[in-house]
Amino acid sequence: AEVHQLRLVFEKITGKDLNWFFNQWYYNSGHPEIEVSYDYNTIQKTVTVNLLQLNNNEFKFPIAIDIFENGKKYRHKIFVNGKDASFKFSYTKQPTLIQVNADGVLLCKIIENKVLSDYIFQLKNAENFAHRREALLEVAKKQEEKIAFNAIANAMSDDSYRIRILALENIDLINKFSKKAAIQKIMKIANNDPKTLVQAVAIETLGKLTDPELKGIFEKALESKSYAVLGKALVAMYYIDKQTAVVKSKTLPDEVRKILATPLTRIFIEENDEKELPFIAKSVLSGMYLNADKKTKAMYNKAFTQISESNNTEAIQNLVDDMVVKGNQFKQYNFDKVVINLMRRMVQDQKTKNTPNRVKNTAIIKEAMAKLL
């Protein structure tokens, strides 16, 4: 079937002309960029919502607008049929918040001027997760204000576990406001939250404090059946009790160590543990190129350099074996050329460092390179 046949079927069923829809969303590119403004008439008790499209091309679209008034939400579904459109709504009490694209259905960019109180209300009351996430990140920027800090602290108890995670990741514990109460709350989350992913982030947040008094929480987490919790607990423990963390890391079963490669790599790289380089080598390439987190990428780049300059033949063998596998696996994206360049760097590093096993290591690297050339 061709697209126009699909359109004809839709039109037959709905009795509507849908050329405009397919022209906008299938044949053309882009999406609406909408500047939102509000005009209140306090005498008539009306608010006019103005939607100005900033695109060169004009879009038509349905959109939902939520108006929060006196603790209640009123949803209005409208259809925008012009580049500069305005819609008037009546109210009984001055609206607390007006949320455009309230259901999050429309693919668009909304540009509007909101103040801190708007975002705090939006964080607590918006229906769509994207709007609540947006609000939390905006509120988090202003935690020097007590009301903002408290809003983030309150969000750590949100019904949505994803919001709880975001709040834990963004709370500023250097802040002077209610720091002790916030830490106590995070400790309870680390121990009792029904979602282990939330527990893990709580432990990571506490770990940044490097406070020996938190050792009991990390010790308990080290016995968790959740790998997410265990991984964060190992790193947190490392910065207050290195010996306990290192011993635990080395005594984990191999299948668990493989799953926890990233937190274990962080510990072993910090320890400059030559014996663990063969283990680290198996995850280096994935960490450098298949991970979105910048700090994790930087850590694995550091690990690559340590292995590349090392005398550890087993680690070099493990690393280049993985390079050959992934170079072939992602050859259509020219990844083979990327790893070949890495191998050339390894050869140069072995020469520069003049390691005792330089000849043997270089031969291993060149043999792997030949498999990709």
Side-chain angles (χ1 to χ4, degrees):
E2 298 290 341
V3 174
H4 72 275
Q5 293 172 305
L6 179 65
R7 174 181 59 79
L8 289 171
V9 173
F10 284 170
E11 290 181 340
K12 182 179 178 180
I13 297 298
T14 63
K16 295 179 180 180
D17 175 11
L18 296 175
N19 267 300
W20 65 271
F21 178 86
F22 281 87
N23 286 340
Q24 284 180 183
W25 298 108
Y26 187 83
Y27 293 110
N28 291 336
S29 61
H31 55 265
E33 295 187 19
I34 309 164
E35 186 176 75
V36 180
S37 60
Y38 316 101
D39 295 319
Y40 286 95
N41 187 322
T42 55
I43 296 174
Q44 296 182 359
K45 289 193 173 181
T46 61
V47 58
T48 301
V49 181
N50 308 300
L51 306 177
L52 175 64
Q53 294 187 53
L54 303 179
N55 314 65
N56 291 326
N57 51 323
E58 182 181 306
F59 285 85
K60 300 177 183 179
F61 50 85
I63 194 168
I65 296 178
D66 281 351
I67 297 180
F68 292 87
E69 178 189 337
N70 200 25
K72 293 184 179 180
K73 180 187 72 179
Y74 299 92
R75 174 157 295 181
H76 303 273
K77 294 185 177 181
I78 59 174
F79 192 90
V80 176
N81 194 11
K83 200 161 186 176
D84 190 356
S86 297
F87 302 88
K88 185 182 288 187
F89 306 102
S90 299
Y91 63 82
T92 304
K93 189 175 180 180
Q94 179 90 6
T96 315
L97 178 73
I98 297 176
Q99 187 76 62
V100 178
N101 194 26
D103 55 8
V105 168
L106 181 67
L107 175 66
C108 65
K109 180 180 180 181
I110 302 290
I111 303 164
E112 55 188 327
N113 291 319
K114 288 182 178 178
V115 296
L116 177 59
S117 59
D118 293 331
Y119 282 121
I120 290 174
F121 186 90
Q122 179 176 320
L123 169 60
K124 188 174 181 180
N125 296 281
E127 178 182 285
N128 183 264
F129 172 75
H131 293 143
R132 301 184 68 209
R133 179 182 184 277
E134 172 199 38
L136 190 148
L137 295 177
E138 289 296 328
V139 173
K141 295 175 183 177
K142 300 183 179 180
Q143 290 183 72
E144 69 279 1
E145 297 186 41
K146 187 174 183 178
I147 189 174
F149 178 82
N150 288 341
I152 300 297
N154 290 336
M156 295 191 300
S157 302
D158 197 272
D159 290 340
S160 167
Y161 80 92
R162 293 186 295 173
I163 292 294
R164 298 201 298 275
I165 286 174
L166 273 174
L168 287 162
E169 289 175 339
N170 287 278
I171 193 164
D172 180 8
L173 293 177
I174 306 303
N175 204 294
K176 61 184 179 182
F177 304 116
S178 309
K179 177 180 175 181
K180 186 175 181 181
I183 292 173
Q184 289 292 328
K185 189 172 186 177
I186 298 170
M187 290 168 66
K188 290 180 181 178
I189 293 171
N191 283 326
N192 303 315
D193 197 278
K195 287 282 187 180
T196 53
L197 289 175
V198 180
Q199 291 180 26
V201 179
I203 289 166
E204 182 179 32
T205 303
L206 292 173
K208 295 173 184 176
L209 300 173
T210 59
D211 184 352
E213 291 187 8
L214 298 170
K215 183 177 178 179
I217 289 178
F218 303 148
E219 284 177 332
K220 179 182 176 183
L222 288 177
E223 304 305 318
S224 174
K225 293 180 180 179
S226 164
Y227 296 135
V229 172
L230 176 56
K232 298 299 185 185
L234 282 168
V235 175
M237 180 65 82
Y238 177 76
Y239 290 105
I240 60 171
D241 185 344
K242 288 186 178 183
Q243 185 178 1
T244 298
V246 171
V247 170
K248 180 71 174 180
S249 299
K250 289 179 174 291
T251 55
L252 290 170
D254 288 343
E255 63 271 17
V256 176
R257 278 164 57 91
K258 184 176 180 181
I259 294 169
L260 298 179
T262 295
L264 293 180
T265 296
R266 188 177 302 281
I267 291 171
F268 296 145
I269 289 297
E270 287 281 338
E271 283 289 287
N272 200 20
D273 192 334
E274 176 87 11
K275 292 180 180 179
E276 293 291 348
L277 287 181
F279 164 76
I280 295 170
K282 296 176 183 179
S283 305
V284 164
L285 210 57
S286 296
M288 289 171 69
Y289 293 100
L290 302 178
N291 194 294
D293 183 70
K294 290 182 180 179
K295 289 183 179 179
T296 302
K297 281 185 175 182
M299 177 192 72
Y300 276 110
N301 272 288
K302 184 178 178 181
F304 171 81
T305 300
Q306 281 195 17
I307 294 168
S308 181
E309 295 177 352
S310 78
N311 190 49
N312 196 312
T313 301
E314 184 184 357
I316 287 173
Q317 183 73 66
N318 289 348
L319 178 55
V320 297
D321 284 349
D322 193 40
M323 285 177 165
V324 171
V325 171
K326 288 185 171 61
N328 284 319
Q329 184 179 357
F330 301 111
K331 195 169 187 175
Q332 59 181 317
Y333 307 111
N334 292 321
F335 194 61
D336 55 328
K337 294 180 177 62
V338 172
V339 296
I340 286 170
N341 285 331
L342 289 175
M343 289 177 183
R344 287 176 177 146
R345 177 182 155 187
M346 292 173 72
V347 170
Q348 186 60 40
D349 285 344
Q350 288 291 306
K351 182 178 180 181
T352 302
K353 293 295 179 179
N354 196 24
T355 61
N357 290 336
R358 177 171 62 87
V359 175
K360 183 179 181 181
N361 292 343
T362 301
I364 289 171
I365 298 165
K366 287 184 175 181
E367 182 182 349
M369 197 185 303
K371 295 177 182 177
L372 293 171
L373 288 170

